[in-house]
Amino acid sequence: MNSSRRKFLQKLTLSAIALPTISAYPFSIYAKQNLDPDRPILKVALMGLGGYAERVAEAMQSCQRAKVTGLISGTPEKLEKWGKKYGVPKESRYNYENFDQIKDNPEIDAVYIITPNALHHGQTLRVAKAGKHVICEKPMAVSVREGQEMVDACEAAGVKLLIGYRMRFEPNTLKVHAMRESGELGKIKFFQGQTGFKIGDPNQWRVDKTLAGGGSLMDIGIYAINGARYMVGEDPIWVTAQETKTNPEIFKEGVDETIQFQLGFPSGAVASCLSTYAMDHLDRFYLLGEKNFVEMQPSTNYGPIKGRTKDGSLNQPHTVHQTTQMDEMAQIILDGKSPIIPVDGNVGVQDMKIIEAIYRACETGQRQELDLG
């Protein structure tokens, strides 16, 4: 193993420290999977076997339309352990050097890429070339250029590219979407999105510019960006932003600690958002219309999501987000289903355009005009 690969694996292992423990969630990886025998099943290989991949793998044990059938990792010990745990045979386990061979494996339909941000681009191109569908964690890339190349590669290969925007399938989120669409909230005037936590281990890849492509905005702030778009129901046309950095030893050049940003929409609605790696207990969306408001707190974590309006609680059921996400994505890929709120690669590119504009606004102190195309 070369030194760069060893360093990468060490960073990936350390990153798991920042994630909540899996045992805190009320479902078992050993539960018998209740697959739907009457409909096709999406056979998924997980790439990057870190803490979040384990959460996805556990959640998928409750899926009706998706199943873990492949594993891709640079750590042989993980491939062995996960293979036994999830019933993935040796012939469907790959490393980062040989995973192009998935093209010859009929037991893999799609690859869920759950690796550091900077790796998504190259890995997506390789998966697409192998003729497999791609599900890519957010942010989809570290630049607009990379994101567009991913979209183009998947289109050329005739495969789907979906981004892991799990909140776009969450019941409370969809309830708010329906309320806005029906006019129940009235004309939307204002959105506030607060997203953040204390980063923890200073050596993890999330604060490494080379692997993360940025800092809090790429990781947690993207929820506020994404939320502003699907809660307001419009795409922003301008952005202003300000960066605050209190610990330059951890948050080095190009790695943002805290960013406040403001978005303007064609209707005149505005959004005020905060993204940070320096404060805990920031997970709140607030949407204000002329007739009603919606407050969601927590709004994006693993739940249960809680929401209320002036008339009381939203009272939507709690679901395991990744279970719902993977079943819905299976239907998008296998059945051609159109999701209520899109999760395709073009949406991911639009988010990257907003992220780049926010960084430019921080650097220049000037308002940036947006054209999401």
Side-chain angles (χ1 to χ4, degrees):
M1 182 184 297
N2 62 39
S3 59
S4 61
R5 174 65 63 189
R6 185 177 296 108
K7 181 179 179 182
F8 162 71
L9 291 173
Q10 289 171 344
K11 290 179 182 292
L12 199 60
T13 300
L14 286 167
S15 72
I17 296 173
L19 292 169
T21 58
I22 301 299
S23 60
Y25 289 81
F27 53 92
S28 170
I29 59 173
Y30 302 107
K32 182 177 174 65
Q33 191 161 356
N34 187 29
L35 295 171
D36 187 337
D38 298 322
R39 294 189 289 178
I41 304 302
L42 185 69
K43 295 171 285 189
V44 180
L46 300 179
M47 178 185 291
L49 307 184
Y52 190 69
E54 187 166 7
R55 185 178 299 280
V56 171
E58 289 203 20
M60 286 182 66
Q61 303 311 297
S62 299
C63 282
Q64 294 185 325
R65 298 292 306 276
K67 180 179 176 62
V68 178
T69 61
L71 300 168
I72 302 169
S73 173
T75 308
E77 295 78 12
K78 283 188 177 181
L79 289 171
E80 180 71 16
K81 179 181 177 180
W82 284 52
K84 290 179 179 178
K85 190 173 186 179
Y86 297 109
V88 177
K90 290 184 177 180
E91 57 267 26
S92 292
R93 305 175 199 166
Y94 303 87
N95 58 44
Y96 293 120
E97 284 71 40
N98 69 10
F99 75 78
D100 307 272
Q101 296 172 15
I102 60 174
K103 68 179 184 297
D104 300 317
N105 191 337
E107 292 305 308
I108 296 174
D109 300 319
V111 176
Y112 194 163
I113 298 174
I114 315 177
T115 56
N117 308 337
L119 304 181
H120 294 174
H121 171 259
Q123 291 167 343
T124 293
L125 299 190
R126 289 172 65 185
V127 172
K129 187 176 181 180
K132 306 298 182 179
H133 301 290
V134 180
I135 302 170
C136 183
E137 255 312 301
K138 57 81 193 165
M140 69 181 299
V142 296
S143 69
V144 173
R145 178 189 60 79
E146 285 192 356
Q148 189 60 54
E149 287 178 358
M150 293 161 66
V151 169
D152 293 344
C154 288
E155 287 182 354
V159 299
K160 297 278 190 183
L161 171 59
L162 306 179
I163 312 302
Y165 292 138
R166 58 185 168 81
M167 298 311 301
R168 291 183 170 224
F169 303 109
E170 193 277 323
N172 291 277
T173 301
L174 293 177
K175 173 66 174 178
V176 176
H177 181 275
M179 291 171 67
R180 189 201 69 236
E181 289 288 290
S182 70
E184 186 174 343
L185 303 178
K187 180 178 174 62
I188 300 301
K189 306 295 289 184
F190 176 69
F191 172 80
Q192 184 179 52
Q194 299 170 332
T195 53
F197 59 88
K198 290 183 180 178
I199 189 61
D201 180 11
N203 297 311
Q204 63 183 283
W205 68 263
R206 288 177 179 83
V207 288
D208 182 332
K209 167 71 171 175
T210 303
L211 291 173
S216 70
L217 187 67
M218 299 285 281
D219 181 30
I220 191 71
I222 194 171
Y223 284 107
I225 293 170
N226 212 255
R229 297 177 65 196
Y230 62 66
M231 296 282 273
V232 173
E234 299 180 77
D235 285 333
I237 55 176
W238 59 259
V239 60
T240 53
Q242 307 81 38
E243 180 178 4
T244 303
K245 187 172 293 191
T246 64
N247 192 338
E249 291 185 8
I250 295 177
F251 305 102
K252 297 179 173 60
E253 182 69 26
V255 179
D256 50 286
E257 175 186 327
T258 300
I259 290 181
Q260 298 176 77
F261 60 94
Q262 302 79 40
L263 304 169
F265 298 87
S267 66
V270 291
S272 176
C273 302
L274 174 68
S275 168
T276 185
Y277 270 161
M279 303 171 229
D280 281 331
H281 314 301
L282 283 176
D283 186 11
R284 178 179 177 268
F285 282 177
Y286 180 80
L287 182 67
L288 179 67
E290 289 184 332
K291 296 181 181 179
N292 205 340
F293 71 87
V294 178
E295 181 182 44
M296 298 173 68
Q297 187 175 11
S299 58
T300 65
N301 73 14
Y302 301 134
I305 303 301
K306 295 181 180 180
R308 69 182 183 94
T309 71
K310 68 180 180 63
D311 303 312
S313 173
L314 292 179
N315 289 322
Q316 296 303 298
H318 171 58
T319 62
V320 177
H321 298 175
Q322 295 81 5
T323 303
T324 302
Q325 171 194 330
M326 295 308 295
D327 270 339
E328 289 289 329
M329 286 186 167
Q331 294 174 70
I332 293 170
I333 292 172
L334 298 175
D335 304 342
K337 180 179 179 178
S338 295
I340 295 173
I341 311 177
V343 292
D344 58 82
N346 290 317
V347 174
V349 172
Q350 290 169 336
D351 280 348
M352 291 309 305
K353 289 181 178 180
I354 298 171
I355 286 174
E356 287 192 358
I358 290 172
Y359 282 138
R360 287 197 304 271
C362 288
E363 291 171 3
T364 65
Q366 298 178 348
R367 168 168 144 165
Q368 302 293 307
E369 304 302 318
L370 287 169
D371 181 5
L372 301 189

Short mmCIF file of all heavy atoms in Angstrom, two decimals, residues 102-137:
data_model
loop_
_atom_site.label_atom_id
_atom_site.label_comp_id
_atom_site.label_asym_id
_atom_site.label_seq_id
_atom_site.Cartn_x
_atom_site.Cartn_y
_atom_site.Cartn_z
N ILE A 102 -16.71 -4.32 -12.19
CA ILE A 102 -18.15 -4.46 -11.92
C ILE A 102 -18.95 -4.52 -13.22
O ILE A 102 -20.09 -5.00 -13.22
CB ILE A 102 -18.68 -3.31 -11.04
CG1 ILE A 102 -18.49 -1.95 -11.73
CG2 ILE A 102 -18.05 -3.34 -9.66
CD1 ILE A 102 -19.13 -0.78 -10.99
N LYS A 103 -18.35 -4.09 -14.31
CA LYS A 103 -19.07 -4.10 -15.60
C LYS A 103 -19.47 -5.52 -15.98
O LYS A 103 -20.46 -5.71 -16.71
CB LYS A 103 -18.20 -3.49 -16.69
CG LYS A 103 -16.97 -4.28 -17.09
CD LYS A 103 -16.20 -3.57 -18.20
CE LYS A 103 -15.02 -4.38 -18.69
NZ LYS A 103 -14.01 -4.59 -17.61
N ASP A 104 -18.76 -6.50 -15.48
CA ASP A 104 -19.05 -7.90 -15.81
C ASP A 104 -19.85 -8.61 -14.73
O ASP A 104 -20.04 -9.83 -14.79
CB ASP A 104 -17.73 -8.66 -16.04
CG ASP A 104 -16.92 -8.08 -17.18
OD1 ASP A 104 -17.53 -7.74 -18.22
OD2 ASP A 104 -15.69 -7.93 -17.03
N ASN A 105 -20.34 -7.85 -13.74
CA ASN A 105 -21.05 -8.46 -12.62
C ASN A 105 -22.55 -8.14 -12.71
O ASN A 105 -22.98 -7.03 -12.42
CB ASN A 105 -20.48 -7.92 -11.30
CG ASN A 105 -20.99 -8.70 -10.10
OD1 ASN A 105 -22.05 -9.34 -10.15
ND2 ASN A 105 -20.26 -8.65 -9.00
N PRO A 106 -23.36 -9.12 -13.09
CA PRO A 106 -24.81 -8.88 -13.21
C PRO A 106 -25.50 -8.69 -11.87
O PRO A 106 -26.67 -8.30 -11.84
CB PRO A 106 -25.31 -10.14 -13.92
CG PRO A 106 -24.32 -11.21 -13.52
CD PRO A 106 -23.00 -10.51 -13.43
N GLU A 107 -24.78 -8.95 -10.77
CA GLU A 107 -25.37 -8.78 -9.44
C GLU A 107 -25.22 -7.36 -8.91
O GLU A 107 -25.53 -7.09 -7.75
CB GLU A 107 -24.71 -9.78 -8.47
CG GLU A 107 -25.07 -11.23 -8.75
CD GLU A 107 -26.58 -11.45 -8.78
OE1 GLU A 107 -27.25 -11.03 -7.81
OE2 GLU A 107 -27.08 -12.01 -9.77
N ILE A 108 -24.74 -6.46 -9.76
CA ILE A 108 -24.62 -5.05 -9.38
C ILE A 108 -25.28 -4.20 -10.45
O ILE A 108 -24.90 -4.24 -11.62
CB ILE A 108 -23.14 -4.64 -9.20
CG1 ILE A 108 -22.51 -5.40 -8.03
CG2 ILE A 108 -23.03 -3.13 -8.97
CD1 ILE A 108 -21.03 -5.15 -7.87
N ASP A 109 -26.31 -3.45 -10.05
CA ASP A 109 -27.00 -2.52 -10.95
C ASP A 109 -26.50 -1.10 -10.78
O ASP A 109 -26.49 -0.32 -11.73
CB ASP A 109 -28.51 -2.51 -10.68
CG ASP A 109 -29.17 -3.85 -10.86
OD1 ASP A 109 -28.83 -4.55 -11.83
OD2 ASP A 109 -30.04 -4.20 -10.03
N ALA A 110 -26.16 -0.76 -9.54
CA ALA A 110 -25.80 0.63 -9.22
C ALA A 110 -24.72 0.65 -8.15
O ALA A 110 -24.59 -0.30 -7.37
CB ALA A 110 -27.04 1.39 -8.71
N VAL A 111 -23.97 1.73 -8.11
CA VAL A 111 -22.95 1.93 -7.09
C VAL A 111 -23.30 3.19 -6.30
O VAL A 111 -23.54 4.25 -6.90
CB VAL A 111 -21.54 2.06 -7.70
CG1 VAL A 111 -20.51 2.37 -6.61
CG2 VAL A 111 -21.16 0.78 -8.43
N TYR A 112 -23.33 3.07 -4.97
CA TYR A 112 -23.55 4.22 -4.10
C TYR A 112 -22.19 4.70 -3.63
O TYR A 112 -21.52 4.03 -2.85
CB TYR A 112 -24.44 3.82 -2.92
CG TYR A 112 -25.01 4.99 -2.13
CD1 TYR A 112 -26.08 4.79 -1.27
CD2 TYR A 112 -24.50 6.28 -2.22
CE1 TYR A 112 -26.64 5.85 -0.54
CE2 TYR A 112 -25.03 7.34 -1.51
CZ TYR A 112 -26.10 7.11 -0.67
OH TYR A 112 -26.63 8.16 0.05
N ILE A 113 -21.76 5.86 -4.12
CA ILE A 113 -20.44 6.41 -3.81
C ILE A 113 -20.51 7.21 -2.52
O ILE A 113 -21.18 8.24 -2.45
CB ILE A 113 -19.93 7.28 -4.97
CG1 ILE A 113 -19.78 6.42 -6.24
CG2 ILE A 113 -18.61 7.95 -4.62
CD1 ILE A 113 -19.42 7.21 -7.48
N ILE A 114 -19.81 6.72 -1.49
CA ILE A 114 -19.83 7.35 -0.16
C ILE A 114 -18.39 7.56 0.29
O ILE A 114 -17.93 7.03 1.29
CB ILE A 114 -20.63 6.50 0.85
CG1 ILE A 114 -21.94 6.01 0.24
CG2 ILE A 114 -20.91 7.31 2.13
CD1 ILE A 114 -22.74 5.09 1.14
N THR A 115 -17.66 8.30 -0.51
CA THR A 115 -16.24 8.57 -0.27
C THR A 115 -16.06 10.08 -0.10
O THR A 115 -17.00 10.85 -0.32
CB THR A 115 -15.40 8.07 -1.45
OG1 THR A 115 -15.88 8.69 -2.65
CG2 THR A 115 -15.47 6.55 -1.59
N PRO A 116 -14.86 10.55 0.29
CA PRO A 116 -14.63 11.99 0.38
C PRO A 116 -14.96 12.72 -0.92
O PRO A 116 -14.80 12.19 -2.02
CB PRO A 116 -13.14 12.08 0.72
CG PRO A 116 -12.89 10.84 1.51
CD PRO A 116 -13.71 9.78 0.83
N ASN A 117 -15.41 13.96 -0.78
CA ASN A 117 -15.96 14.74 -1.89
C ASN A 117 -15.07 14.77 -3.13
O ASN A 117 -15.55 14.66 -4.26
CB ASN A 117 -16.19 16.18 -1.43
CG ASN A 117 -17.00 16.27 -0.16
OD1 ASN A 117 -17.75 15.36 0.19
ND2 ASN A 117 -16.86 17.38 0.56
N ALA A 118 -13.77 14.93 -2.93
CA ALA A 118 -12.86 15.10 -4.06
C ALA A 118 -12.73 13.84 -4.91
O ALA A 118 -12.23 13.90 -6.04
CB ALA A 118 -11.48 15.54 -3.57
N LEU A 119 -13.17 12.71 -4.39
CA LEU A 119 -13.07 11.45 -5.12
C LEU A 119 -14.30 11.15 -5.96
O LEU A 119 -14.27 10.27 -6.82
CB LEU A 119 -12.82 10.30 -4.14
CG LEU A 119 -11.60 10.44 -3.22
CD1 LEU A 119 -11.46 9.22 -2.33
CD2 LEU A 119 -10.33 10.66 -4.03
N HIS A 120 -15.39 11.86 -5.72
CA HIS A 120 -16.66 11.54 -6.39
C HIS A 120 -16.57 11.61 -7.91
O HIS A 120 -17.11 10.76 -8.62
CB HIS A 120 -17.76 12.49 -5.92
CG HIS A 120 -18.11 12.36 -4.47
ND1 HIS A 120 -18.99 13.21 -3.83
CD2 HIS A 120 -17.72 11.47 -3.54
CE1 HIS A 120 -19.12 12.85 -2.57
NE2 HIS A 120 -18.35 11.81 -2.36
N HIS A 121 -15.89 12.63 -8.40
CA HIS A 121 -15.82 12.87 -9.84
C HIS A 121 -15.20 11.68 -10.57
O HIS A 121 -15.84 11.07 -11.45
CB HIS A 121 -15.03 14.15 -10.10
CG HIS A 121 -14.72 14.40 -11.54
ND1 HIS A 121 -13.47 14.13 -12.08
CD2 HIS A 121 -15.46 14.89 -12.56
CE1 HIS A 121 -13.48 14.46 -13.35
NE2 HIS A 121 -14.66 14.92 -13.67
N GLY A 122 -13.99 11.34 -10.21
CA GLY A 122 -13.30 10.25 -10.91
C GLY A 122 -14.01 8.92 -10.74
O GLY A 122 -14.10 8.12 -11.68
N GLN A 123 -14.53 8.66 -9.55
CA GLN A 123 -15.21 7.39 -9.30
C GLN A 123 -16.52 7.30 -10.09
O GLN A 123 -16.86 6.24 -10.63
CB GLN A 123 -15.44 7.22 -7.81
CG GLN A 123 -14.14 6.98 -7.05
CD GLN A 123 -14.28 7.11 -5.54
OE1 GLN A 123 -15.25 7.67 -5.03
NE2 GLN A 123 -13.30 6.61 -4.81
N THR A 124 -17.23 8.41 -10.20
CA THR A 124 -18.47 8.42 -10.99
C THR A 124 -18.18 8.13 -12.45
O THR A 124 -18.90 7.35 -13.10
CB THR A 124 -19.19 9.77 -10.84
OG1 THR A 124 -19.65 9.92 -9.51
CG2 THR A 124 -20.37 9.87 -11.80
N LEU A 125 -17.13 8.74 -13.00
CA LEU A 125 -16.78 8.51 -14.40
C LEU A 125 -16.47 7.04 -14.64
O LEU A 125 -16.87 6.47 -15.67
CB LEU A 125 -15.59 9.38 -14.81
CG LEU A 125 -15.76 10.90 -14.72
CD1 LEU A 125 -14.58 11.61 -15.38
CD2 LEU A 125 -17.07 11.36 -15.32
N ARG A 126 -15.78 6.41 -13.70
CA ARG A 126 -15.43 5.00 -13.86
C ARG A 126 -16.66 4.09 -13.74
O ARG A 126 -16.81 3.12 -14.49
CB ARG A 126 -14.37 4.60 -12.83
CG ARG A 126 -13.00 5.20 -13.09
CD ARG A 126 -12.04 4.95 -11.95
NE ARG A 126 -11.74 3.53 -11.79
CZ ARG A 126 -10.99 3.04 -10.79
NH1 ARG A 126 -10.49 3.88 -9.87
NH2 ARG A 126 -10.75 1.74 -10.71
N VAL A 127 -17.54 4.41 -12.80
CA VAL A 127 -18.76 3.59 -12.64
C VAL A 127 -19.63 3.73 -13.88
O VAL A 127 -20.18 2.73 -14.38
CB VAL A 127 -19.53 4.02 -11.37
CG1 VAL A 127 -20.89 3.32 -11.32
CG2 VAL A 127 -18.72 3.68 -10.12
N ALA A 128 -19.77 4.94 -14.39
CA ALA A 128 -20.57 5.15 -15.59
C ALA A 128 -19.99 4.38 -16.78
O ALA A 128 -20.73 3.75 -17.56
CB ALA A 128 -20.66 6.64 -15.92
N LYS A 129 -18.67 4.42 -16.90
CA LYS A 129 -18.01 3.70 -18.00
C LYS A 129 -18.25 2.20 -17.89
O LYS A 129 -18.31 1.49 -18.90
CB LYS A 129 -16.51 4.00 -17.98
CG LYS A 129 -15.76 3.44 -19.18
CD LYS A 129 -14.30 3.86 -19.16
CE LYS A 129 -13.56 3.31 -20.38
NZ LYS A 129 -12.12 3.71 -20.38
N ALA A 130 -18.42 1.72 -16.65
CA ALA A 130 -18.70 0.30 -16.44
C ALA A 130 -20.17 -0.03 -16.70
O ALA A 130 -20.57 -1.19 -16.60
CB ALA A 130 -18.32 -0.09 -15.02
N GLY A 131 -20.97 0.98 -17.01
CA GLY A 131 -22.36 0.75 -17.37
C GLY A 131 -23.30 0.59 -16.20
O GLY A 131 -24.39 0.04 -16.35
N LYS A 132 -22.91 1.08 -15.03
CA LYS A 132 -23.74 0.96 -13.84
C LYS A 132 -24.29 2.34 -13.44
O LYS A 132 -23.66 3.37 -13.65
CB LYS A 132 -22.94 0.38 -12.68
CG LYS A 132 -22.24 -0.95 -12.98
CD LYS A 132 -23.23 -2.06 -13.33
CE LYS A 132 -22.50 -3.38 -13.59
NZ LYS A 132 -23.43 -4.49 -13.89
N HIS A 133 -25.50 2.33 -12.86
CA HIS A 133 -26.08 3.57 -12.36
C HIS A 133 -25.27 4.09 -11.18
O HIS A 133 -24.62 3.32 -10.47
CB HIS A 133 -27.52 3.33 -11.93
CG HIS A 133 -28.40 2.81 -13.03
ND1 HIS A 133 -28.78 3.58 -14.11
CD2 HIS A 133 -28.96 1.58 -13.23
CE1 HIS A 133 -29.54 2.86 -14.92
NE2 HIS A 133 -29.66 1.65 -14.41
N VAL A 134 -25.35 5.40 -10.96
CA VAL A 134 -24.57 6.04 -9.90
C VAL A 134 -25.51 6.74 -8.92
O VAL A 134 -26.37 7.52 -9.31
CB VAL A 134 -23.58 7.08 -10.46
CG1 VAL A 134 -22.80 7.74 -9.33
CG2 VAL A 134 -22.63 6.44 -11.47
N ILE A 135 -25.32 6.44 -7.64
CA ILE A 135 -25.89 7.23 -6.56
C ILE A 135 -24.70 7.84 -5.84
O ILE A 135 -23.81 7.12 -5.38
CB ILE A 135 -26.72 6.37 -5.59
CG1 ILE A 135 -27.85 5.66 -6.34
CG2 ILE A 135 -27.28 7.22 -4.45
CD1 ILE A 135 -28.56 4.60 -5.52
N CYS A 136 -24.64 9.15 -5.78
CA CYS A 136 -23.46 9.83 -5.24
C CYS A 136 -23.84 10.68 -4.05
O CYS A 136 -24.80 11.45 -4.12
CB CYS A 136 -22.82 10.70 -6.33
SG CYS A 136 -21.29 11.52 -5.81
N GLU A 137 -23.08 10.56 -2.98
CA GLU A 137 -23.35 11.39 -1.81
C GLU A 137 -23.11 12.87 -2.14
O GLU A 137 -22.38 13.22 -3.05
CB GLU A 137 -22.46 10.97 -0.62
CG GLU A 137 -23.20 10.19 0.45
CD GLU A 137 -24.51 10.83 0.86
OE1 GLU A 137 -24.49 12.00 1.33
OE2 GLU A 137 -25.55 10.19 0.73
#
